[in-house]
């Protein structure tokens, strides 16, 4: 058996197959990875140096002492977190390196809010509600058109500037477009045009801030369907009513217009179709308004 050599940064021990070297940094990385895998430990990046979790190990012979600094997530007792990290680091270092761990000091240096992506979220926390689908901003189309107009005006302005400085030759705006050379001069129409531009801008601002219309109907808390899907469900339910030979339903936002081809007593069929559709869509909110038109077969 070869002699054992102890150094502050590594441990070397011999064997029949050669020397095995475990560096101090390897022990530290095992401790950091183990601490990071704990559910209540939050990773923090540092601009300079190492972030958290951060470990420092001292290796002497076949024994080691480790210090670990971590940031804990909000909602867990810090004493429990420190004890669990201490035990996990001790077990992993001994298992992966074969070194004996004399001591593991855990220092919790920060407490941070738990992020929604953590798999170990607090079981007592209220579930997050999904946002309902909504339509795009009303001002989106106006914004796209306005952006294209501004790009075109800006391109013409840049070209005119280049022409004025001699970097671009030729006429940027053909005279045939206006019949004469364009000259910017104060005119009486500028004031009403300016006022109209302000009004249009305010209208677009209101449209941009206006709450967007919901495009789907809710089924419970986390599921939404389009009105067209509700119309298909309603048509399927209406088709199952006695004396109905065909049914079609058209959706218009929160209204359903059912056209039913039938034979028999119209009042009975009408009531049964409305009841069947209402029963089928009872879990949908808001409840769509249903109109039923009957056709004799």
């Amino acid at each position: 058996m070869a002699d054992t050599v102890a150094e502050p940064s590594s441990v070397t021990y011999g064997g029949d197959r050669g020397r095995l070297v475990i560096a101090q940094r390897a022990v530290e990385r095992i401790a950091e990875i183990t601490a990071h895998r704990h559910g209540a430990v939050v990773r923090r990046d540092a601009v300079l140096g190492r972030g958290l979790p951060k470990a420092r190990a001292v290796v002497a012979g076949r024994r080691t002492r480790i210090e670990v600094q971590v940031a804990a997530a909000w909602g867990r007792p810090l004493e429990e977190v420190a004890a669990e990290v201490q035990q996990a680091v001790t077990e992993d270092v001994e298992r992966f390196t074969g070194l004996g761990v004399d001591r593991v000091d855990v220092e919790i240096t920060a407490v941070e809010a738990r992020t929604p992506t953590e798999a170990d979220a607090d079981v007592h926390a209220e579930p997050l509600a999904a946002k309902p689908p909504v339509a795009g901003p009303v001002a989106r189309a106006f914004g796209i058109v306005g952006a294209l107009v501004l790009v075109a005006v800006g391109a013409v302005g840049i070209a005119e500037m280049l022409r004025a400085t001699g970097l671009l030759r030729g006429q940027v705006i053909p005279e045939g477009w206006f019949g004469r050379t364009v000259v910017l001069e104060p005119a009486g129409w500028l004031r009403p045009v300016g006022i109209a531009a302000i009004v249009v801008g305010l209208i677009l601002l209101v449209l941009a801030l206006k709450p967007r219309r919901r495009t789907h109907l809710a089924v419970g808390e986390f599921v939404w369907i389009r009105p067209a899907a509700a119309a298909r469900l309603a048509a399927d339910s209406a088709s199952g009513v006695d004396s109905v030979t065909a049914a079609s339903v058209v959706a218009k936002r929160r209204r359903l217009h059912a056209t039913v081809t039938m034979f028999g007593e119209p009042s009975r069929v009408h009531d049964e179709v409305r009841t069947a559709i209402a029963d089928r869509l009872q879990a949908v909110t808001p409840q769509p308004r249903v109109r039923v038109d009957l056709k004799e077969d």
Side-chain angles (χ1 to χ4, degrees):
M1 179 68 69
D3 294 334
T4 300
V5 181
E7 298 178 1
S9 59
S10 65
V11 57
T12 306
Y13 51 94
D16 297 336
R17 299 182 180 180
R19 295 196 313 161
L20 301 177
V21 180
I22 299 177
Q24 170 185 319
R25 183 57 188 146
V27 178
E28 293 172 350
R29 283 298 295 150
I30 294 173
E32 291 170 356
I33 294 172
T34 300
H36 179 247
R37 294 181 62 182
H38 188 281
V41 171
V42 179
R43 176 170 180 161
R44 295 184 65 185
D45 296 326
V47 178
L48 298 175
R50 291 152 56 188
L52 297 177
K54 179 170 62 176
R56 180 179 179 275
V58 176
V59 179
R62 298 294 303 277
R63 313 293 298 181
T64 183
R65 184 181 73 247
I66 306 169
E67 298 175 0
V68 184
Q69 294 180 351
V70 299
W74 173 264
R76 288 286 304 275
L78 301 185
E79 184 177 359
E80 292 183 5
V81 174
E84 292 171 0
V85 171
Q86 184 182 55
Q87 181 179 357
V89 169
T90 300
E91 293 176 354
D92 283 357
V93 170
E94 290 181 344
R95 178 156 53 103
F96 292 126
T97 67
L99 301 177
V101 178
D102 288 333
R103 179 174 176 177
V104 175
D105 295 328
V106 178
E107 179 181 356
I108 299 179
T109 61
V111 176
E112 294 190 359
R114 186 183 299 271
T115 58
T117 56
E118 293 178 6
D120 63 305
D122 192 347
V123 295
H124 301 291
E126 295 183 0
L128 297 176
K131 294 182 178 180
V134 293
V138 180
R140 179 173 57 185
F142 297 97
I144 294 175
V145 174
L148 294 177
V149 171
L150 290 177
V151 169
V153 172
V156 173
I158 293 174
E160 284 288 349
M161 181 189 66
L162 295 177
R163 186 183 66 83
T165 57
L167 298 177
L168 182 64
R169 296 182 180 181
Q171 187 71 25
V172 177
I173 302 178
E175 295 183 1
W177 286 8
F178 301 97
R180 60 179 181 175
T181 303
V182 177
V183 179
L184 295 179
E185 295 180 352
W189 55 267
L190 289 177
R191 181 175 298 175
V193 169
I195 295 175
I198 294 175
V199 172
V200 172
L202 291 176
I203 293 175
L204 293 178
L205 181 61
V206 171
L207 293 178
L209 298 177
K210 180 181 178 182
R212 290 184 283 175
R213 175 179 55 85
R214 290 192 178 186
T215 57
H216 290 57
L217 302 173
V219 183
E221 295 185 65
F222 304 102
V223 179
W224 288 269
I225 61 174
R226 292 185 179 274
R232 289 193 292 268
L233 293 174
D236 179 71
S237 298
S239 300
V241 174
D242 295 338
S243 302
V244 173
T245 58
S248 62
V249 180
V250 178
K252 293 182 179 180
R253 293 193 179 182
R254 298 180 182 178
R255 294 180 296 174
L256 299 179
H257 182 193
T259 302
V260 177
T261 304
M262 46 71 66
F263 61 87
E265 179 61 32
S267 59
R268 176 187 63 81
V269 175
H270 182 276
D271 294 341
E272 291 183 0
V273 167
R274 289 186 62 89
T275 302
I277 294 176
D279 291 343
R280 188 69 175 272
L281 301 180
Q282 62 180 349
V284 175
T285 54
Q287 278 287 319
R289 290 175 291 177
V290 180
R291 173 185 170 185
V292 178
D293 291 338
L294 302 180
K295 291 183 178 180
E296 291 286 346
D297 191 357

